[in-house]
């Protein structure tokens, strides 16, 4: 047995510094004198020894273990949801929709109930297939029937004849966290196994409250499939969506781009019973629009409450300010849209508004359709003030708007209005411009009364007019509005170009070609063009095969000079095959450029089609109701269902046809159906005319109509 | 008592010194000490053994970061012909032998007289095409002037396969963003699916027909073809293919050709024993006459009016094979021998391809039901 060293020797070996070499010499010294490890020392030594014995390759970084675990989790989640996914194949149907080529490969669906209901993306059925086939994970093939569509969230419900299917498990919405794993699973690529894309939840409540946003690759290979979390429970059903566009193919151009959308499965299940009944689900409307066009900067003041809408029946009025919707405070139109964007007809809406000092609350039940909007008709053509004469600020203070002409037998005629009267107040609103008066008149419905204060020969008179609906017939004569000749050559250029290196504006007949597209256009600006006056603009779309440039120019040039109409004849890229849908941009841009260069009245821009260019003209007019105020169709029947007449757009129709033209009957029918949904529409029949471009009588009628577009 | 003495001493030492003495005590040569040492040895051996057993496959156990740094030297940037319109003049390739053989995609880039290869560290070599198998979209290059130099490489025979959901890495010179002496770009993703592309049917406009890994990750950008797809551990999966559009879904595909399919041709080209496989479809006349018609089986389809007229049966001829198996008019033919029939045209083509002696299996939809029927293909009198 060794003896412990004498204490004093240890005490002597004290050293001031404590670094490694000193530690080492200290350790050497201690073992040399016979000290052996204590309990603590032994424990530490054991630990070090064990760790050193670990083979080098098992020094795993925690990163690798995490990566491994995540990979296993992805695979597990996919196998969990796989039994609830079906492969959908379709047979027959259209090749393309809205110029968009439809693929015909397999797509995906999610089983939502054990007795055979399957939900999928409406995109998968755009082709309107003749037959739908569903294949489950175990390989069983089943015939399927489409039951109903959710047009708000772009989903379609199918039914197959089966039992014992495995419905998908939804994730509860409140538990969804931005940044969590989100795996997009489809069945389109391979018949035997699901296809997978891994991403995260990028955002929730996207596209006006409808969808979960993910950066997993979402595309036709998994539209209709499931977005799952790492547990295998379904966050949502994958669909193409776009916040800017509601068309069926909107959002597909964003496929595989890092932004994809899924409708929360919990939301789908909540409306499943209604879909099962076989009725399509449509957007729920309250019946109002905003005064401000700035979605993000404007306020929530209501411009108009639609007649007989849920808002109207609850007693809300034009000018109310929306404070709260469903308990959320709102200050911007975008916030309101966010609450309303996912509402379906029949849903409830709790709304509170402020009117002056008082507040008002109500619970509305939203509807899918509102009664058609109808503006009242007074029967007056306002005087056309000179451009820049300050008429928009009211000219001489309190001068109102002058009466140019009164329609015979109209409400204005009945209260005795005469040319040269000035309307200074309408419904207690001081009138400062024709545009404002048009707006005010349109807020009164036919059969309603309106107070009109006029000034005649210096004296004011208070009258009350009972408005009517827009007359079906055009007046037989319509006086022209005088356009003074230009005083001197200088004033041919518009004011803002004076003094600069301005291009002299062309008048008379001229033409131009557009370099990038193969389009071109010709134009006729009256020789007597005076920028001090506002002109109408007639945008002419020729039928396929013939631009009819000479015919249209010769027929219209007199009326153009007389009534102050600028003619713009647009030419398709391929004259023989006619207008293609993608040329809408060209037409829109050219009209806008003319409107900017010349003095054009924005309320009198007309789109004119004839024969086979009718459908394109109609489609364009509906697409750009903010630009076009009139649609003029000659001998051209259109089957396209018009969108609702909205108070913010003032689109008017003139349909004209020869009595011997085969299109006569259908054109007359179209005019009647437009009148039925309360669009201001006229039909003019030209006696003894076959299928040809309208004759002089027709041109006269069309010119009269254009000249009356600023009527009240 | 002896322990106490050692400890007491350490306490007396000054502040600055680490009390190493706390780790020590008076030596004891008792049996307990010895058995403790034996125990220690036993524990260490056991631990070592367990580690070896529990991590048999961890020969490659490393994180993604380690994988990437190990693999970058094996991937090269290739420059050659192109640069006009949408054809890039650059591509990617990877070493498949230590002598400097490179596997890459068979493409227009190799059309140049001189192909330049730049390594991840900037070393430049010219290269020549040693051999190619266009049907596999494969080409093998050999570096010039690389005698005696050894290169890090992938062994194509060690390529593996992997399932959906496996995390993968793609290495490529997409968009030619790697300038000169830089390593190529790395993207990550998972295997989205494993499926087959059939070039011949016109659905995929690709020279390659066969199994592919479809990747959830943007691997197939311009210039990426010829790059590699690997697992996180660096195991070789596939060669990134040329840009390809899937006509069924109207979308661009990200995919790689499994190296398992390419290993054999690569080794043959390297060893000089390569013979180009004859294209099995080369001898077929481009327009095959249709051997059979629906009428041969006793049924007629509705008139083919639009592009996708569904294949509805218009009428059945009495006493024919169709009548015998119970086909009826208004049945919609959905499958011919497991092939989905999208239109009348497709049905005519599918029946036209039958051979005598085959069976014709149809799946038709009658109302909401699916009905299976089978008819023998009659002998054709030549």
């Amino acid at each position: 047995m060794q003896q412990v060293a004498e204490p004093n020797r240890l005490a002597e070996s004290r050293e001031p510094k404590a670094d490694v070499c000193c530690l080492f010499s200290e350790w050497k010294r201690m073992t040399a004198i016979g000290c052996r490890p204590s309990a603590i020392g032994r424990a530490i030594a054991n630990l070090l020894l064990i760790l050193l014995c670990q083979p080098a390759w098992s020094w795993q970084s925690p990163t690798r273990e995490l990566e491994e675990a995540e990979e296993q989790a992805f695979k597990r989640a996919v196998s969990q949801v796989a039994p609830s996914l079906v492969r959908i194949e379709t047979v027959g149907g259209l090749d393309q929709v809205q110029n968009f080529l439809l693929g015909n490969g397999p797509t995906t669906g999610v089983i939502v109930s054990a007795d055979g209901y399957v939900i999928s993306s409406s995109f998968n059925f755009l082709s309107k297939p003749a037959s739908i086939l569903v294949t489950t994970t175990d390989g069983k093939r089943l015939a399927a029937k489409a039951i109903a569509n959710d047009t708000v969230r772009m989903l379609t419900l199918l039914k197959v004849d089966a039992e014992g299917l495995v419905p998908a498990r939804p994730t509860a919405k409140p538990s969804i966290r931005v940044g969590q794993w989100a795996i997009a699973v489809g069945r389109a690529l391979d018949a035997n196994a699901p296809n997978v894309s891994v991403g995260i939840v990028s955002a929730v409540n996207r596209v006006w409250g409808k969808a979960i946003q993910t950066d997993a690759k979402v595309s036709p290979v998994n539209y209709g499939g499931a977005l799952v979390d790492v547990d295998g429970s379904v966050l949502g059903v994958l669909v193409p969506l776009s916040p800017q566009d509601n068309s069926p193919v909107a959002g597909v151009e964003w496929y595989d781009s890092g932004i994809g959308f899924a409708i929360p499965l919990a939301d789908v299940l909540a409306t499943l019973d209604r879909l099962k009944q076989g009725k399509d689900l449509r957007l729920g409307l309250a019946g109002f629009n905003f005064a401000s066009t700035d979605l993000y900067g404007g306020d929530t003041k209501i411009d108009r409450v639609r007649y007989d809408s849920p808002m109207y029946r609850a007693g809300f009025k034009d000018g109310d300010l929306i404070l709260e919707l469903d308990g959320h405070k709102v200050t911007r139109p975008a916030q309101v849209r966010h609450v309303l964007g996912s509402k379906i007809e029949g849903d409830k809406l709790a709304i509170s508004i402020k009117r002056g000092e008082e507040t008002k609350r109500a619970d509305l039940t939203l509807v899918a359709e509102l009664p058609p909007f109808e503006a009242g008709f007074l029967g007056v053509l306002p005087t056309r003030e000179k451009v820049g004469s300050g008429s928009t600020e009211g000219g001489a203070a309190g001068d109102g708007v002058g009466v140019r002409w009164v329609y015979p037998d109209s409400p204005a005629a009945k209260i005795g209005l005469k040319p040269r009267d000035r309307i200074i107040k309408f419904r207690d609103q001081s009138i400062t411009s024709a545009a404002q008066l048009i707006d005010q008149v349109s807020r009164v419905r036919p059969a309603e009364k309106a107070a009109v204060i006029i000034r005649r020969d210096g004296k004011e008179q208070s009258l009350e007019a009972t408005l009517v609906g827009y007359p079906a017939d055009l007046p037989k004569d319509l006086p022209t509005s005088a356009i003074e000749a230009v005083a001197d050559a200088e004033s041919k250029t518009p004011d803002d170009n004076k003094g600069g290196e301005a291009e002299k504006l062309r008048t008379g007949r001229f033409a131009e070609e557009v370099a990038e597209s193969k389009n071109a256009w010709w134009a006729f600006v009256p020789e007597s063009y005076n920028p001090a006056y506002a002109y109408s603009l007639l945008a002419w779309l020729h039928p396929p095969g013939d631009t009819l440039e000479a015919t249209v120019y010769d027929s219209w040039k007199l009326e153009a000079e007389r009534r102050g109409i600028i003619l713009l004849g647009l030419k398709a890229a391929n004259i023989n095959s006619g207008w293609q849908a993608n040329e809408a941009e060209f037409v829109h841009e050219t009209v806008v450029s003319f409107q900017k260069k010349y003095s054009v009245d924005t309320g009198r821009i007309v789109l004119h089609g004839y024969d086979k260019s009718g459908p394109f003209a109609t489609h364009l007019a509906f697409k750009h109701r903010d630009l076009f105020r009139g649609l003029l169709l000659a001998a051209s029947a259109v089957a396209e269902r018009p969108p609702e007449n909205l108070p913010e757009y003032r689109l008017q129709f003139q349909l004209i046809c020869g009595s011997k033209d085969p299109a006569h009957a259908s054109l007359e029918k179209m005019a009647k159906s437009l009148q039925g949904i309360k669009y201001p529409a006229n039909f003019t029949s030209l006696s003894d005319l076959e299928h040809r471009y309208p004759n002089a009588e027709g041109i006269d009628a069309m010119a009269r109509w254009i000249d009356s577009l600023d009527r009240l | 008592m002896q322990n106490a003495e050692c400890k007491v001493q350490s306490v007396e030492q000054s502040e600055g010194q680490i009390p190493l003495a706390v780790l020590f005590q008076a030596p004891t040569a008792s049996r307990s000490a010895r058995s403790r040492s034996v125990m220690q040895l036993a524990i260490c051996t056991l631990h070592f053994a367990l580690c070896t057993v529990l991590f048999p496959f961890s020969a490659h156990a490393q994180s993604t970061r380690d994988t990437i740094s190990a693999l970058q030297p094996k991937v090269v940037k290739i420059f050659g012909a192109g640069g006009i319109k949408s054809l890039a003049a650059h591509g990617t390739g990877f070493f498949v032998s230590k002598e400097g053989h490179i596997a890459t995609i068979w493409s227009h880039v190799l059309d140049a007289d001189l192909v330049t290869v730049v390594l991840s560290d900037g070393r430049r070599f010219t290269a020549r095409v040693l051999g190619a198998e266009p049907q596999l979209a494969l080409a093998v290059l050999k570096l010039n002037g690389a005698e005696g130099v050894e290169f890090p490489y992938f062994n194509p025979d060690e390529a593996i396969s992997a399932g959906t959901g496996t995390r993968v890495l793609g290495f490529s010179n997409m968009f030619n963003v790697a300038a000169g002496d830089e390593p190529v770009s790395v993207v990550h993703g998972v295997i989205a699916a494993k499926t087959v592309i059939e070039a011949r049917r016109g659905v995929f406009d690709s020279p390659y027909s066969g199994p592919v890994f479809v990747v959830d990750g943007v691997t197939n950008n311009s210039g990426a073809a010829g790059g590699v797809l690997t697992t996180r551990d660096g195991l070789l999966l596939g060669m990134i293919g040329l840009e390809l559009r899937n006509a069924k879904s109207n979308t661009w595909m990200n995919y790689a050709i499994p190296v398992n399919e390419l290993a054999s041709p690569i080794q043959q080209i390297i060893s000089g024993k390569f013979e180009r496989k004859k294209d099995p479809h080369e001898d077929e006349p481009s327009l095959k006459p249709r051997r059979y018609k629906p009428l041969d089986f006793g049924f007629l389809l509705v008139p083919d009016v639009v592009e996708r007229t569904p294949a509805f049966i218009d009428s059945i001829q009495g006493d024919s094979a169709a009548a015998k198996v119970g086909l009826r008019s208004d049945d919609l033919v959905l499958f011919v021998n497991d092939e989905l029939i999208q239109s009348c045209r497709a049905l005519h083509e599918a029946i036209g391809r039958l051979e005598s002696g085959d069976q014709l299996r149809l799946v038709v939809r009658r109302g909401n039901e699916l009905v299976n029927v089978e008819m023998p293909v009659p002998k054709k009198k030549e």
Side-chain angles (χ1 to χ4, degrees), chain A residues 671-683:
Chain A
K672 287 221 164 44
S673 74
L674 283 170
Q675 287 160 359
I677 54 175
K678 309 301 181 200
Y679 273 106
N682 293 113
F683 177 72

Side-chain angles (χ1 to χ4, degrees), chain B residues 1 44 46 63 91 118 126-127 136 146 151 164 171 174 225 234 239-240 256 287 295 318-319 323 326 340 343 364 380:
Chain B
M1 189 184 54
C44 289
L46 188 63
S63 72
V118 181
T126 57
L136 292 175
F151 301 96
T164 307
F171 294 78
M174 57 172 79
M239 177 168 75
I240 296 174
L287 264 166
L295 197 54
D319 204 30
L340 180 70
S343 61
V364 301
K380 206 59 172 171

